[in-house]
Amino acid sequence: MIVWLIGLSGAGKTTVGTRLAARLRPDLPNLVYLDGDLLRDVWGGDLSHDVAGREVNAARLSKLCLMLDRQDIHVVAAVLSIFPQWQAWNRKNLSSYFEVFLDVPMDVVVDRDTKGLYRAALQGRGHDVVGVDIPFPRPAGPDLVLDSSGRDGTPDELTDRILAALHERAAR
């Protein structure tokens, strides 16, 4: 199973992803948590944050998930995922792929802005920021959409909703 968490920077992907992985691990000890930002360091920090660098990162992450999937290793991946073609590739090539879109209004992520990315980009001091000068295409067909601004609940409640959807899918 590959759970692919999509959302803007500040949408809560890391928070929900780490909680989801922790909740799944007792039943799936062969589960890994992958974070797009952390993997940039694993790859050696050789990628820019422009569209070309982001696409290389997307390809590497999807192909890593395929390698793990083929070894029956489950994955929770927290990624911006701005490339519809890679989302389609995942759906075609990964077994039991479950895509969750953590939807949040731009004003909320700008207010959260823990990394200072949006503030800098909006003030003209930064560039290559998804949602500001790089478009963020809404995923075409996620399995689950959750409003992570707080309207759909706390991170723990969002995690509960993902787990419920995964259990419902497994029961089919």
Side-chain angles (χ1 to χ4, degrees), residues 8 14 19 57 96 112 134 142 151 160:
L8 286 165
T14 298
R19 290 171 191 207
N57 200 42
S96 193
R112 289 178 183 168
I134 295 175
R151 285 185 279 238
D160 289 342

Side-chain angles (χ1 to χ4, degrees), residues 29-90:
N30 59 333
L31 180 136
V32 297
Y33 171 73
L34 301 176
D35 186 291
D37 286 340
L38 298 176
L39 282 172
R40 285 177 164 277
D41 292 334
V42 170
W43 308 136
D46 64 336
L47 298 176
S48 65
H49 283 84
D50 63 8
V51 172
R54 289 177 184 281
E55 185 152 21
V56 170
N57 200 42
R60 288 175 176 177
L61 184 54
S62 289
K63 291 179 179 182
L64 174 59
C65 285
L66 178 61
M67 183 191 81
L68 295 169
D69 190 33
R70 286 180 173 165
Q71 296 177 61
D72 295 320
I73 297 171
H74 304 284
V75 177
V76 172
V79 295
L80 272 164
S81 198
I82 64 171
F83 300 100
Q85 66 271 24
W86 282 105
Q87 294 162 9
W89 187 92
N90 291 347

